[in-house]
Amino acid sequence: MKKHLNPPQNVAIFNKTAGIYNAAKGSILVGTFLALITEYAILRHILSTHLTAFWQTIPPLLITAAAGAMCIFLAVERIRYGKEASKILIDKEARQLGNAANGIVFVACLAIFGVSVALSYIGTLDTVNTAIKPPALQTTAVTDSSTAAKLQSINGQYSRDSTATAKQWAARITAESKRLQAEINGIQTQIKAGKHWLQPKLKAAQNEKETALNALKAERAAALIRLTESKRVQAELATTAAANELNTIQSANNTAAARYENLLNKAGKVLPVMVLVAIALILFGCYIVEKFKYKSGIKEVILPNEYDLLPSLASEYKEALTSYFSGILRMGAAAIRRRAIPATATVNQTAAELVKLELEKYKEKVLNMGEPDTHQPTARQSDLTASTTDTVLSIPATEFSRNYEKTAYNETLTELLNTYRIHRQRLQVYQKKQSNADGNPATLQAGIEKHTAEIEKVQAELARHGYAVYLNPDTRRIELAKM
């Protein structure tokens, strides 16, 4: 269909309100754009979740195309129903379909916008939660590892320094001890030689040795204490610096987390409201656009083209495919029919068999005509005989009744014989299965008992008619013999 708009009839109103018209179209575009973004977010999530429940691997491009098509469809229908509902409110001529149709238009408009509101609201929340990424918090691993390395270095240096200091002082003490001991040994040698007046000097030398060694040991202990204190001070400085750095990192992380939570809360409250307002702008924009056209005297003329009046494409394709496949199937049927066996030979063969059967029956009747009739007719048969005229093949009524009764009697015997043959055959099948242990023993035994009982019943019925069953040795067929 083609839509034509005539020039505005009220040019003054058109010129004065053209800005409002353009603003209304802008609001429709803004609302449509925001709704597309939020609807696409949630529809893509829904399709991805549900389709992967049926198929393990779904191409992302397929999900994107499906979500985009659904969003575009909703956007087009929103604008369409918004304009149609606005026309019904503004123009009386647009209400000519009646209150029921107009009410349905409003209900459909509310439904379309309700779906858009729900999808946009949920999509906005989903977008907020996925688009606003949480801040990258700093870790204390580097500080902890550097602090541990510093402390390890301080301890290692202290161990090396204390060992070296201890060795140096031990060597110094040993050397001093040897020097003083040499002097003492010389004095002792002189005393042993008879110089007893050197005894005070020996005592003084020994005291000097002890005093010197004690002084050296005290200096060694002081040096080790100084090393220990230096180590403690260095470790305390390293620990304090690490603690300050950790506090700085923790404070920065807390500030970033608080800022993220604040932004997330504000976005979760403000953005959905903004999207809902944008969708409302679509409805208001549609109303203003239609009001502008109505006041300006712009009327729409819808002209169908030649294709709009043709049958739908679906019906055309359905008919064409039906004709195509029907022709193929009918060609197949014709080919099968051409290859079928002609019916003439089958009919002739069947007719010959029927004639043969009728001839056998006739021979059997001729052979049995001389036998005495031991069965008395019933009262109904007697009445039929009495009321029957001898117009059938010039046979008297009494003879016709007898022949009819004898034919029914022979058919009864034949039916009993066939029943005996059937049960005998089935009994043999069950007995063979039982001998081969092929099947459930209980089922086989039940089948054997059932068919044995049926055979005995048939034999008793034949004995009541004066016949017995025997196997003809010439033809190997089961036949009847008079008792």
Side-chain angles (χ1 to χ4, degrees):
M1 294 183 181
K2 298 179 181 179
K3 182 185 293 185
H4 299 273
L5 299 178
N6 66 318
Q9 302 298 318
N10 195 334
V11 180
I13 294 178
F14 179 86
N15 291 332
K16 291 180 180 180
T17 58
I20 299 175
Y21 170 72
N22 292 327
K25 291 197 299 183
S27 68
I28 293 174
L29 290 177
V30 171
T32 302
F33 177 74
L34 292 177
L36 282 175
I37 294 176
T38 54
E39 288 172 356
Y40 173 78
I42 190 62
L43 285 175
R44 193 177 189 284
H45 176 71
I46 292 173
L47 289 176
S48 177
T49 303
H50 286 76
L51 290 180
T52 51
F54 298 97
W55 297 281
Q56 296 296 328
T57 56
I58 300 294
L61 184 61
L62 178 62
I63 297 177
T64 301
M70 295 176 68
C71 290
I72 293 173
F73 173 75
L74 284 175
V76 172
E77 292 303 316
R78 270 198 307 272
I79 297 174
R80 186 204 304 273
Y81 275 98
K83 290 184 176 181
E84 294 302 323
S86 301
K87 288 180 183 179
I88 293 174
L89 291 174
I90 295 170
D91 193 357
K92 292 182 179 180
E93 295 182 357
R95 308 172 191 169
Q96 295 181 3
L97 293 180
N99 294 330
N102 297 335
I104 291 173
V105 171
F106 283 112
V107 171
C109 180
L110 292 176
I112 290 292
F113 275 86
V115 170
S116 299
V117 167
L119 290 176
S120 299
Y121 185 82
I122 299 173
T124 306
L125 295 179
D126 184 71
T127 304
V128 167
N129 293 327
T130 55
I132 302 178
K133 301 296 183 181
L137 301 179
Q138 301 180 18
T139 62
T140 60
V142 176
T143 303
D144 294 337
S145 61
S146 63
T147 303
K150 287 181 181 179
L151 293 176
Q152 185 178 3
S153 176
I154 292 171
N155 291 329
Q157 188 64 37
Y158 168 75
S159 178
R160 289 190 296 271
D161 292 345
S162 61
T163 302
T165 302
K167 287 182 178 180
Q168 292 175 359
W169 283 102
R172 186 175 177 182
I173 291 171
T174 302
E176 187 68 17
S177 176
K178 287 181 179 180
R179 185 183 66 81
L180 295 174
Q181 186 65 37
E183 294 178 0
I184 294 172
N185 290 337
I187 296 172
Q188 288 178 349
T189 301
Q190 292 177 4
I191 293 173
K192 289 180 180 180
K195 298 179 181 181
H196 296 286
W197 64 86
L198 295 178
Q199 282 290 345
K201 188 177 180 181
L202 176 62
K203 187 64 175 178
Q206 290 177 348
N207 291 336
E208 182 182 358
K209 175 185 176 183
E210 184 176 358
T211 302
L213 293 179
N214 289 335
L216 290 175
K217 290 179 181 179
E219 290 180 7
R220 182 182 64 180
L224 292 176
I225 290 172
R226 285 194 298 271
L227 287 176
T228 304
E229 183 65 19
S230 177
K231 170 205 168 185
R232 185 189 66 79
V233 172
Q234 291 178 1
E236 185 176 355
L237 290 175
T239 305
T240 303
N244 293 333
E245 189 174 354
L246 291 176
N247 290 333
T248 302
I249 293 174
Q250 189 64 34
S251 178
N253 289 341
N254 293 336
T255 302
R259 187 182 300 111
Y260 170 73
E261 291 295 334
N262 187 23
L263 179 61
L264 195 64
N265 292 332
K266 288 183 178 180
K269 294 178 181 178
V270 175
L271 289 180
V273 175
M274 291 175 61
V275 174
L276 296 181
V277 171
I279 292 179
L281 286 178
I282 297 176
L283 188 59
F284 298 154
C286 292
Y287 180 82
I288 293 174
V289 167
E290 295 302 321
K291 189 72 174 181
F292 172 81
K293 291 179 181 179
Y294 179 75
K295 287 293 184 180
S296 300
I298 299 175
K299 294 185 179 179
E300 296 179 353
V301 179
I302 308 297
L303 297 178
N305 56 28
E306 56 180 346
Y307 295 102
D308 292 328
L309 303 179
L310 294 176
S312 65
L313 290 176
S315 61
E316 291 283 354
Y317 273 97
K318 180 181 178 181
E319 182 180 359
L321 293 174
T322 302
S323 301
Y324 176 73
F325 288 110
S326 177
I328 293 177
L329 294 176
R330 291 180 186 278
M331 288 176 59
I336 294 173
R337 189 179 294 111
R338 287 195 298 270
R339 289 174 173 76
I341 299 174
T344 305
T346 304
V347 171
N348 293 338
Q349 183 179 0
T350 305
E353 291 179 356
L354 291 174
V355 170
K356 184 178 179 181
L357 289 174
E358 291 297 327
L359 182 61
E360 293 293 334
K361 289 182 180 180
Y362 174 75
K363 289 180 179 179
E364 185 178 359
K365 289 181 181 179
V366 171
L367 293 175
N368 294 332
M369 284 179 62
E371 296 180 1
D373 187 8
T374 59
H375 300 279
Q376 297 297 327
T378 60
R380 184 175 178 81
Q381 291 174 346
S382 300
D383 296 338
L384 179 62
T385 304
S387 61
T388 303
T389 60
D390 43 344
T391 59
V392 182
L393 300 177
S394 299
I395 300 176
T398 304
E399 186 179 354
F400 176 79
S401 176
R402 289 176 181 175
N403 291 337
Y404 175 80
E405 181 177 327
K406 192 167 188 62
T407 300
Y409 177 75
N410 290 333
E411 289 178 356
T412 301
L413 295 177
T414 302
E415 182 178 358
L416 290 173
L417 179 61
N418 291 335
T419 303
Y420 176 85
R421 288 172 177 172
I422 291 171
H423 287 290
R424 182 176 180 274
Q425 183 181 11
R426 294 179 179 175
L427 176 62
Q428 290 176 351
V429 171
Y430 275 103
Q431 288 175 346
K432 184 176 181 180
K433 287 186 176 181
Q434 189 181 42
S435 62
N436 295 332
D438 182 15
N440 189 359
T443 304
L444 297 177
Q445 185 62 32
I448 292 173
E449 293 175 358
K450 173 185 175 182
H451 294 296
T452 302
E454 293 294 333
I455 289 174
E456 293 175 356
K457 186 186 300 183
V458 172
Q459 288 177 343
E461 186 68 20
L462 289 173
R464 190 175 65 84
H465 290 288
Y467 286 88
V469 179
Y470 80 102
L471 180 63
N472 192 338
D474 298 331
T475 61
R476 304 297 298 176
R477 290 176 56 85
I478 297 175
E479 298 178 357
L480 294 179
K482 268 194 169 295
M483 297 176 61

